Amino acid sequence: MWGGRFAAGPDAIMEAINASIGFDKRLAAQDIQGSRAHAAMLAAQGIITDSDAAAIGEGLLTVLSEIEGGAFQFSTALEDIHMNVEARLSQLIGEPAGRLHTARSRNDQVATDFRLWVRDQCDAAVEGLRALQRALLAQAEAGADWVMPGFTHLQVAQPVTWGHHMLAYVEMFWRNLGRFRDARARMNECPLGAAALAGTSFQIDREMTAEALGFDRPCANSLDAVSDRDFALEFLSAAAITAVHLSRLAEELVVWSSAQFRFVTLSDRFSTGSSIMPQKKNPDAAELIRAKIGRVLGAQVALFSVMKGLPLAYSKDMQEDKEQVFDAADTLILSLAAMTGMVGDMTANRESLEAAAASGFSTATDLADWLVRELGLPFREAHHVTGSLVALAEAKGSDLPELTLAEMQGVHSGITEGVFGVLGVQNSVASRTSYGGTAPVRVREQIAVWKERLA
Ligand code: ARG
C-alpha cells in the first residue's frame, strides 16, 4: 500500500508485531458498512462517479459475504482488516477500488469501525442487563415476603425479605444499564472524514456519512476524532462495575447453595458434578462469573495504560485497544447470560431462609427499639439492656424469644409481655416500613415500580 516510498519489504518480525488482522477481522462488518457509506457520499459529492461508487458498493457486499461465509483469505502481510478488505475489493472490481480511499485514512476508518462495534456492545449489554433484571424481579415477586437473614460482616444482622434482597441487585444492574446508555449516547459521534488527523481538502459531506451510520452527528474536531478512545474506556468502566456487581451476586450464590446455608438450590442445568465425589453438585457457573471480573478489570487497566500519556493525534499504540475490549465484551455478555440462567432457574428454599432468619439473635434491634418506644429508654441504654439479654440467651443456649418474662425482667424490671410481639422475624420485617425498607408492603410497591420500568 505504501510501496512508492519503500525499497524493501518488512522483516518477518516487523510483520508479526505490526499485524492486527488476527483480531481486527472482527470489525469486518463495521469496516464494510463504513466504506459503503463513504463511497456513497463521495459519489453524492461528485468526488467519484456514480458508476465507480456502485461498483465499490456491490464489490464490498461480495467481500462481506466471502468473509461471513468463511471463504475469505486473510493475509497478515496486508496488516489489518481495512487493507485486507480493500485489497480483495481491488481483485474483484479493479481500478475503481483505488478510489475508495479518497478523503479518508485508516485513522478515521478504524476509529469509526471501532465505535460502531463498541456501540453494538453497549446495546447488547443493555439487553443482557434487562434480561437479568427480569429474572431477579421474578424471584423477588415469588418471595416478596419470605424472611431471610440480612447480614453485615457475613454475620446475621437483622431479618430481611428475599424480595428485598433480590431487588437490591435489580437496583445495581439498573445503574449499570444507565452507564452503558450514557456511554453510548456520548460515543455516538462519527469520526469518518477526519482523515489522517487534519481533515481533508475534498468537499466531503460528513453529516451524510454520520447519518448513514446511525451517528447523531460528526465529531467536531478531526484531531480528537482520530486520537481518542475514551468511548472504549467508558465501555470498559461500565463493564468493570457491572462485573463487580455480578461477582458479588455470584459469591452469594456460591455461599447460599452450600450445604451449610441451603438458601437456594441451583438447577442441574447450571451446575456440574465431580468426577470422584458422587454426591457433589458444584456452582461452577457462579464461581466462573466471580472470577471473570479479573479479565474485565484487566482489560480496563490495560487500555488505560495504553492511552495514558499518548500525544495527539494517532499513534500505533492504539491498535492495542481492540483485543482488550473484545475480550471484556465477550466475557461480560457471557457472564450476564449465565447469571440470568442461574437466577431464572434457581429455587429459593423458603424454610431454610426462614429458619436462618431466626438464628443469631436477629431481632435484637427490634427488642432495643421496643425498649425505646415502650419504656422511653434512651437508645444507648436500650442497646446495653438488649446486649445483656442476648448474653443471657447465649449462656442458656437459646434464642431471644425463648427467654421467660421473669428472666427478662431480671435484666430490666420494666419489660412486659408485649415485648414478645417484636421478637418474631415476621413482625420484625413487617415493621420496617420506612421508604426503601424491607417490609413486604414496601417490597411489593417496588416490584410494581420495576414491573412498569422493565415492561
Ligand atoms: N490497524 C490499525 C489500528 O488498529 C489501523 C490504523 C492504522 N493507521 C496507521 N496510521 N498506521 O489502529
Side-chain angles (χ1 to χ4, degrees):
M1 293 277 169
W2 43 76
R5 165 81 173 76
F6 282 67
D11 189 273
I13 292 176
M14 178 60 203
E15 199 173 287
I17 194 172
N18 201 35
S20 55
I21 188 62
F23 47 89
D24 69 13
K25 57 171 80 144
R26 282 189 76 167
L27 299 177
Q30 288 77 11
D31 194 66
I32 286 167
Q33 193 190 0
S35 289
R36 282 170 52 84
H38 184 67
M41 181 278 291
L42 291 176
Q45 293 298 100
I47 300 168
I48 64 173
T49 64
D50 286 341
S51 68
D52 281 350
I56 291 170
E58 276 186 34
L60 285 168
L61 286 184
T62 305
V63 177
L64 181 62
S65 66
E66 286 178 1
I67 292 175
E68 284 174 344
F72 193 91
Q73 294 290 319
F74 290 102
S75 153
T76 313
L78 288 169
E79 210 181 305
D80 57 24
I81 185 62
H82 323 297
M83 299 211 288
N84 269 270
V85 169
E86 196 185 318
R88 179 65 185 139
L89 183 66
S90 178
Q91 286 174 349
L92 288 170
I93 68 167
E95 199 244 282
R99 301 189 186 280
L100 170 60
H101 213 52
T102 313
R104 185 178 78 166
S105 151
R106 277 187 298 156
N107 295 350
D108 58 336
Q109 197 178 346
V110 73
T112 304
D113 295 359
F114 199 34
R115 269 194 209 222
L116 288 170
W117 195 90
V118 176
R119 191 177 75 181
D120 281 350
Q121 297 304 307
C122 286
D123 294 341
V126 165
E127 273 318 298
L129 283 162
R130 286 178 77 92
L132 177 52
Q133 285 187 299
R134 284 197 201 96
L136 287 160
L137 187 59
Q139 285 286 350
E141 214 182 350
D145 56 2
W146 297 2
V147 186
M148 67 180 281
F151 297 90
T152 61
H153 314 265
L154 198 56
Q155 309 285 325
V156 173
Q158 294 173 350
V160 296
T161 47
W162 172 255
H164 197 51
H165 200 114
M166 292 296 107
L167 288 184
Y169 283 106
V170 172
E171 295 280 343
M172 290 178 235
F173 291 124
W174 181 248
R175 289 194 296 277
N176 294 321
L177 193 150
R179 288 181 180 103
F180 284 110
R181 279 190 181 150
D182 290 350
R184 186 198 201 283
R186 233 181 327 274
M187 77 178 68
N188 206 28
E189 294 185 344
C190 186
L192 195 59
L197 74 164
T200 174
S201 57
F202 290 98
Q203 296 299 304
I204 58 171
D205 182 350
R206 294 195 54 208
E207 299 283 348
M208 182 180 167
T209 41
E211 198 189 311
L213 297 172
F215 288 108
D216 294 330
R217 62 192 81 83
C219 299
N221 183 300
S222 61
L223 292 168
D224 174 44
V226 294
S227 69
D228 209 350
R229 295 292 181 270
D230 61 349
F231 64 92
L233 292 175
E234 272 200 74
F235 173 78
L236 290 176
S237 302
I241 298 173
T242 305
V244 169
H245 290 149
L246 283 170
S247 77
R248 298 184 71 177
L249 177 53
E251 164 70 359
E252 299 213 290
L253 296 185
V254 170
V255 171
W256 290 353
S257 60
S258 69
Q260 288 69 30
F261 272 76
R262 288 189 199 285
F263 283 7
V264 297
T265 307
L266 299 176
S267 77
D268 288 355
R269 298 202 313 147
F270 285 94
S271 309
T272 58
S274 158
S275 56
I276 176 169
M277 297 169 283
Q279 86 285 8
K280 292 278 274 183
K281 184 166 157 187
N282 296 324
D284 290 32
E287 295 164 79
L288 287 164
I289 291 169
R290 187 172 62 181
K292 279 182 188 290
I293 169 76
R295 303 171 75 121
V296 180
L297 264 184
Q300 195 200 17
V301 171
L303 189 55
F304 271 97
S305 312
V306 166
M307 295 307 296
K308 182 196 169 294
L310 280 189
L312 303 191
Y314 178 85
S315 294
K316 195 61 174 264
D317 306 52
M318 287 178 336
Q319 180 166 286
E320 287 290 308
D321 56 1
K322 292 167 209 61
E323 281 173 290
Q324 303 296 340
V325 175
F326 291 163
D327 187 64
D330 291 345
T331 301
L332 177 75
I333 300 303
L334 179 61
S335 299
L336 283 170
M339 185 58 91
T340 303
M342 265 192 303
V343 170
D345 273 16
M346 75 186 179
T347 313
N349 304 325
R350 187 177 185 171
E351 289 74 33
S352 307
L353 289 167
E354 188 159 339
S359 70
F361 312 107
S362 65
T363 53
T365 313
D366 300 86
L367 172 49
D369 288 349
W370 184 88
L371 293 170
V372 170
R373 232 179 0 252
E374 301 299 322
L375 306 187
L377 297 191
F379 183 76
R380 282 288 156 234
E381 192 184 334
H383 186 286
H384 189 81
V385 170
T386 307
S388 305
L389 288 167
V390 167
L392 181 65
E394 198 169 36
K396 267 186 66 181
S398 76
D399 265 317
L400 283 173
E402 282 118 44
L403 290 177
T404 64
L405 184 57
E407 283 169 329
M408 293 214 190
Q409 286 171 339
V411 175
H412 192 288
S413 57
I415 296 178
T416 64
E417 194 69 47
V419 74
F420 289 99
V422 301
L423 295 182
V425 290
Q426 302 290 352
N427 290 338
S428 170
V429 293
S431 73
R432 292 211 156 68
T433 53
S434 54
Y435 180 76
T438 201
V441 283
R442 290 285 165 267
V443 171
R444 288 208 177 86
E445 281 168 11
Q446 289 299 314
I447 288 172
V449 169
W450 281 113
K451 277 186 135 170
E452 203 158 298
R453 231 176 245 167
L454 297 179

